[in-house]
Amino acid sequence: QVHLVESGGGSVLPGGSLRLACAASGSTYYTRWMAWFRQTPGKEREGVASIALDRSRTYYADSVKGRFTISRDDAQNTLYLQMNSLKPEDTAMYYCAATERGLYFWDSLAPNNYGSWGQGTQVTVSS
Protein backbone atom coordinates (compact mmCIF):
# COMPACT_ATOMS: atom_id res chain seq x y z
CA GLN A 1 0.00 0.00 0.00
CA VAL A 2 1.16 3.51 -0.83
CA HIS A 3 0.63 6.36 1.63
CA LEU A 4 -0.14 9.69 -0.05
CA VAL A 5 -0.23 13.18 1.48
CA GLU A 6 -1.34 16.20 -0.54
CA SER A 7 -0.42 19.82 0.12
CA GLY A 8 -0.49 23.18 -1.63
CA GLY A 9 -4.18 23.92 -1.78
CA GLY A 10 -5.62 27.31 -0.92
CA SER A 11 -7.66 30.25 -2.14
CA VAL A 12 -6.74 32.11 -5.30
CA LEU A 13 -8.25 34.73 -7.59
CA PRO A 14 -9.47 33.73 -11.05
CA GLY A 15 -6.53 33.66 -13.43
CA GLY A 16 -4.14 32.80 -10.64
CA SER A 17 -1.92 29.77 -10.13
CA LEU A 18 -1.37 27.08 -7.53
CA ARG A 19 1.00 24.13 -7.32
CA LEU A 20 -0.22 21.01 -5.56
CA ALA A 21 2.19 18.40 -4.23
CA CYS A 22 1.63 14.78 -3.25
CA ALA A 23 4.28 13.04 -1.16
CA ALA A 24 4.32 9.27 -1.57
CA SER A 25 5.72 6.72 0.87
CA GLY A 26 5.43 3.01 1.54
CA SER A 27 5.37 0.46 -1.29
CA THR A 28 6.01 2.96 -4.08
CA TYR A 29 8.25 0.58 -6.08
CA TYR A 30 5.26 -1.13 -7.68
CA THR A 31 3.37 2.05 -8.56
CA ARG A 32 2.72 2.29 -12.29
CA TRP A 33 0.34 5.23 -12.62
CA MET A 34 -0.39 8.26 -10.48
CA ALA A 35 -3.12 10.81 -11.00
CA TRP A 36 -4.91 13.84 -9.68
CA PHE A 37 -8.66 13.84 -9.17
CA ARG A 38 -11.08 16.45 -7.90
CA GLN A 39 -14.51 16.40 -6.35
CA THR A 40 -17.16 18.91 -5.36
CA PRO A 41 -20.10 18.18 -3.04
CA GLY A 42 -22.81 16.15 -4.71
CA LYS A 43 -20.71 15.32 -7.76
CA GLU A 44 -18.69 12.28 -8.76
CA ARG A 45 -14.92 12.31 -8.45
CA GLU A 46 -13.41 13.59 -11.70
CA GLY A 47 -10.04 12.65 -13.17
CA VAL A 48 -7.88 15.70 -13.90
CA ALA A 49 -4.45 14.46 -14.97
CA SER A 50 -2.46 11.24 -14.89
CA ILE A 51 1.12 10.15 -15.43
CA ALA A 52 2.65 6.76 -16.20
CA LEU A 53 5.71 6.32 -14.05
CA ASP A 54 7.61 4.04 -16.44
CA ARG A 55 7.49 6.30 -19.50
CA SER A 56 6.24 9.55 -18.00
CA ARG A 57 3.32 9.63 -20.40
CA THR A 58 0.72 12.15 -19.32
CA TYR A 59 -2.98 12.45 -19.94
CA TYR A 60 -5.33 15.34 -19.17
CA ALA A 61 -9.02 15.94 -18.93
CA ASP A 62 -10.24 18.29 -21.67
CA SER A 63 -11.34 20.80 -19.04
CA VAL A 64 -7.76 21.41 -17.85
CA LYS A 65 -5.72 20.72 -21.00
CA GLY A 66 -3.30 23.59 -21.65
CA ARG A 67 -3.72 25.00 -18.13
CA PHE A 68 -2.59 22.19 -15.81
CA THR A 69 0.67 20.23 -15.87
CA ILE A 70 1.31 16.98 -14.01
CA SER A 71 4.89 16.05 -13.17
CA ARG A 72 6.87 13.95 -10.73
CA ASP A 73 10.16 14.08 -8.86
CA ASP A 74 11.44 10.52 -8.50
CA ALA A 75 14.17 11.49 -6.05
CA GLN A 76 11.61 13.06 -3.72
CA ASN A 77 8.83 10.54 -4.44
CA THR A 78 6.57 13.51 -5.05
CA LEU A 79 3.84 14.15 -7.60
CA TYR A 80 2.96 17.70 -8.61
CA LEU A 81 0.08 19.48 -10.30
CA GLN A 82 0.85 22.95 -11.61
CA MET A 83 -2.43 24.77 -12.12
CA ASN A 84 -2.43 28.01 -14.14
CA SER A 85 -5.21 30.27 -15.40
CA LEU A 86 -7.48 28.97 -12.68
CA LYS A 87 -11.22 29.37 -13.07
CA PRO A 88 -14.02 29.34 -10.46
CA GLU A 89 -15.13 25.97 -11.85
CA ASP A 90 -11.75 24.52 -10.78
CA THR A 91 -12.87 24.91 -7.17
CA ALA A 92 -12.87 21.44 -5.60
CA MET A 93 -11.16 19.08 -3.20
CA TYR A 94 -8.15 17.69 -5.04
CA TYR A 95 -6.89 14.17 -4.39
CA CYS A 96 -3.85 12.30 -5.61
CA ALA A 97 -4.01 8.58 -6.25
CA ALA A 98 -1.72 5.71 -7.16
CA THR A 99 -2.15 2.29 -8.70
CA GLU A 100 -0.03 -0.79 -9.36
CA ARG A 101 -2.21 -1.69 -12.31
CA GLY A 102 -1.09 -1.34 -15.88
CA LEU A 103 -3.58 0.94 -17.60
CA TYR A 104 -4.39 2.12 -21.08
CA PHE A 105 -4.11 5.91 -21.02
CA TRP A 106 -7.83 6.33 -21.65
CA ASP A 107 -8.50 4.42 -18.42
CA SER A 108 -6.00 6.39 -16.38
CA LEU A 109 -8.53 9.00 -15.25
CA ALA A 110 -11.08 6.50 -13.95
CA PRO A 111 -11.17 6.59 -10.12
CA ASN A 112 -12.02 2.90 -9.77
CA ASN A 113 -8.63 1.97 -11.25
CA TYR A 114 -6.79 3.44 -8.25
CA GLY A 115 -6.35 1.77 -4.89
CA SER A 116 -4.32 4.32 -2.89
CA TRP A 117 -5.66 7.79 -2.14
CA GLY A 118 -4.58 10.84 -0.21
CA GLN A 119 -6.79 12.80 2.16
CA GLY A 120 -7.25 15.71 -0.26
CA THR A 121 -6.41 19.41 -0.37
CA GLN A 122 -8.98 22.14 -0.99
CA VAL A 123 -8.63 24.55 -3.91
CA THR A 124 -10.93 27.57 -4.02
CA VAL A 125 -10.97 29.96 -6.97
CA SER A 126 -13.04 33.03 -6.25
CA SER A 127 -13.01 36.77 -6.59
Side-chain angles (χ1 to χ4, degrees), residues 30 46 86:
Y30 301 102
E46 171 193 21
L86 283 161

Side-chain angles (χ1 to χ4, degrees), residues 65-85:
K65 206 171 291 184
R67 299 188 298 122
F68 290 11
T69 302
I70 189 171
S71 63
R72 59 188 174 92
D73 182 332
D74 291 338
Q76 299 293 328
N77 263 342
T78 301
L79 181 74
Y80 297 100
L81 185 68
Q82 178 67 42
M83 305 186 294
N84 299 328
S85 302

Side-chain angles (χ1 to χ4, degrees), residues 1-9 19-28 31 34-37 71 73 76-81 93-98 116-122:
Q1 193 77 1
V2 177
H3 183 59
L4 303 170
V5 179
E6 301 96 334
S7 61
R19 187 192 195 200
L20 305 183
C22 173
S25 61
S27 303
T28 60
T31 299
M34 295 189 74
W36 287 96
F37 293 82
S71 63
D73 182 332
Q76 299 293 328
N77 263 342
T78 301
L79 181 74
Y80 297 100
L81 185 68
M93 185 71 78
Y94 282 72
Y95 301 89
C96 73
S116 298
W117 292 86
Q119 82 290 347
T121 185
Q122 177 68 37

